[in-house]
Amino acid sequence: MEVRKLGKTDYNIGVVGFGGIPIQRLDEEEAVRLIDLARKEGINFIDTARGYEASESLIGIGIRGTREHWTIATKSMARDYESMKKDIEISLKNLCCEYIDLYQCHNVRTKDQYDQIMSTNGAYKALDEAMKEGKIKAIGITSHDIGILGNAIETDYFSTIQFPYNAVERQAEDLFKKAKERNIGVIVMKPLAGGAITKGNLALRFILENPNVSVVIPGIDRIEQVAENAAVAKSFIPLNKDERQALEKLAKELGSKFCRRCGYCLPCPQEIDIPTQFLMEGYYTRYDLKEWAATRYSSLPKKASDCIKCGKCETRCPYDLPIREMLKNVTKQLG
């Protein structure tokens, strides 16, 4: 498998990793089997999060006896010092590890959240302490906002960034280039555009053509996915003209109805977190995480059904999405 260095860390990782969100719906035996097969196929980077329910614990069981093979990444939504400190300890326990290779600030949405994380009593302080104590080896940050990560890579605080990237969502290419120049690792999530791209082989090959990408982490929950994903990295073949045109056609077709979670539609007068509505819908309809997505959706303080159809969001959307109709569909799917 092709190996790339993960930014300023000491880790050399296979370019195709193991995205750990979908295994939360598997039983222990099946999850362990997937993880073991991934190891045998040469996959050595695995990504999870505190918010992925049983994912951390299943991975902890799955890597027993093979810990040194893996570069383990997890993440937390904690924004303050005490919450992050607590989450680090929970992750260590769940993953059955003495240390975690990469701990990330998860889904930083706004400048206020970023400022809180970096404040005197913010989450970063807990991460920095844990790194000095040897409990974590590197610190990263994930976001759906290019501006947040653009600011982050101008500092020396983070070893990695994680952002969606695929044939449909290409807005981060300049960000990735700048990150590579600053020796910051680039982790690609949502390689299949939330399931909108059905040809996984083409999707992964498209991403790996970008030399600024360190690793791509497709979600894995089936045996056949492991070998298929690993095969792309073992014998990489650039896209041919027809394959590239097929992806370009798909991107064009999705352009009028696909939320890229840039956040320009916000703030909503009704305080609806519009991108999150579409994110939960994607998990519900395309990732087969119906119960998980429905539970997350039900906990949102404002839902798609609260839309009063004022249309202000649509005037801000750089992709001219029919957001009001899309929110109506979210209500239809998730209630």
Side-chain angles (χ1 to χ4, degrees), residues 158-193:
F158 300 101
S159 295
T160 64
I161 58 172
Q162 186 175 144
F163 193 83
Y165 178 59
N166 49 66
V168 180
E169 302 175 277
R170 300 181 59 175
Q171 65 269 34
E173 288 180 344
D174 286 342
L175 172 72
F176 292 173
K177 184 175 184 293
K178 292 175 182 176
K180 179 69 176 295
E181 290 170 352
R182 293 187 60 82
N183 199 25
I184 292 173
V186 172
I187 303 167
V188 167
M189 59 176 163
K190 306 294 187 296
L192 304 184

Side-chain angles (χ1 to χ4, degrees), residues 298-329:
S298 67
S299 69
L300 296 174
K302 296 287 185 176
K303 301 175 180 62
S305 56
D306 293 312
C307 173
I308 61 172
K309 299 180 174 57
C310 69
K312 290 184 178 179
C313 53
E314 293 182 4
T315 66
R316 304 188 191 111
C317 178
Y319 304 102
D320 298 318
L321 297 180
I323 295 175
R324 287 172 288 184
E325 283 301 309
M326 292 168 68
L327 287 173
K328 185 177 178 180
N329 189 59

Side-chain angles (χ1 to χ4, degrees), residues 88 102 161 218 241 290:
I88 292 169
L102 176 66
I161 58 172
K241 182 179 178 181
K290 286 183 167 55

Side-chain angles (χ1 to χ4, degrees), residues 18 33-43 69-70 226:
F18 189 119
R33 195 157 72 112
L34 282 180
I35 294 167
D36 189 54
L37 179 59
R39 178 184 61 82
K40 292 175 181 176
E41 290 286 348
I43 294 173
H69 170 83
W70 294 101
V226 177

Side-chain angles (χ1 to χ4, degrees), residues 7 13 23 43 47 89 97 111 118 127 144 154 160-161 262 272 281 291 304:
I13 57 176
I23 66 168
I43 294 173
D47 175 89
E89 294 302 324
C97 293
K111 184 178 183 299
M118 305 307 298
L127 292 168
H144 293 277
E154 293 298 324
T160 64
I161 58 172
C262 64
I272 300 169
E281 180 194 24
E291 183 177 352

Side-chain angles (χ1 to χ4, degrees), residues 85-309:
K85 189 172 182 178
K86 179 180 178 181
D87 270 0
I88 292 169
E89 294 302 324
I90 294 172
S91 293
L92 288 166
K93 181 179 179 181
N94 287 345
L95 291 163
C96 305
C97 293
E98 294 182 0
Y99 67 93
I100 294 166
D101 300 289
L102 176 66
Y103 211 103
Q104 303 160 97
C105 298
H106 190 185
N107 194 21
V108 183
R109 299 284 314 281
T110 66
K111 184 178 183 299
D112 285 345
Q113 289 183 5
Y114 181 83
D115 289 343
Q116 183 183 6
I117 288 167
M118 305 307 298
S119 66
T120 304
N121 290 307
Y124 191 89
K125 178 183 177 182
L127 292 168
D128 188 50
E129 286 184 0
M131 190 160 66
K132 291 173 180 175
E133 294 167 356
K135 294 180 178 180
I136 64 176
K137 301 298 184 182
I139 301 171
I141 182 171
T142 87
S143 180
H144 293 277
D145 187 300
I146 285 181
I148 295 292
L149 296 186
N151 290 332
I153 66 173
E154 293 298 324
T155 73
D156 293 322
Y157 294 118
F158 300 101
S159 295
T160 64
I161 58 172
Q162 186 175 144
F163 193 83
Y165 178 59
N166 49 66
V168 180
E169 302 175 277
R170 300 181 59 175
Q171 65 269 34
E173 288 180 344
D174 286 342
L175 172 72
F176 292 173
K177 184 175 184 293
K178 292 175 182 176
K180 179 69 176 295
E181 290 170 352
R182 293 187 60 82
N183 199 25
I184 292 173
V186 172
I187 303 167
V188 167
M189 59 176 163
K190 306 294 187 296
L192 304 184
I197 302 174
T198 57
K199 297 181 179 180
N201 179 281
L202 299 190
L204 294 180
R205 285 162 58 201
F206 169 83
I207 293 166
L208 295 183
E209 284 184 337
N210 189 329
N212 301 315
V213 169
S214 306
V215 60
V216 55
I217 49 170
I220 295 177
D221 63 354
R222 297 197 306 274
I223 288 294
E224 60 269 22
Q225 292 170 341
V226 177
E228 290 170 1
N229 293 348
V232 173
K234 287 180 179 179
S235 55
F236 176 70
I237 303 172
L239 296 173
N240 62 38
K241 182 179 178 181
D242 290 342
E243 291 169 334
R244 198 175 303 281
Q245 287 180 342
L247 288 176
E248 289 172 353
K249 180 182 178 182
L250 174 63
K252 185 175 181 180
E253 290 172 350
L254 289 172
S256 64
K257 56 185 177 181
F258 184 77
C259 175
R260 293 157 176 82
R261 297 182 297 279
C262 64
Y264 290 130
C265 58
L266 302 175
C268 166
Q270 300 304 305
E271 300 182 348
I272 300 169
D273 185 343
I274 296 170
T276 295
Q277 311 296 311
F278 301 139
L279 182 63
M280 291 300 106
E281 180 194 24
Y283 281 130
Y284 186 86
T285 60
R286 295 194 289 267
Y287 275 109
D288 193 26
L289 289 168
K290 286 183 167 55
E291 183 177 352
W292 183 83
T295 299
R296 293 293 183 282
Y297 180 77
S298 67
S299 69
L300 296 174
K302 296 287 185 176
K303 301 175 180 62
S305 56
D306 293 312
C307 173
I308 61 172
K309 299 180 174 57

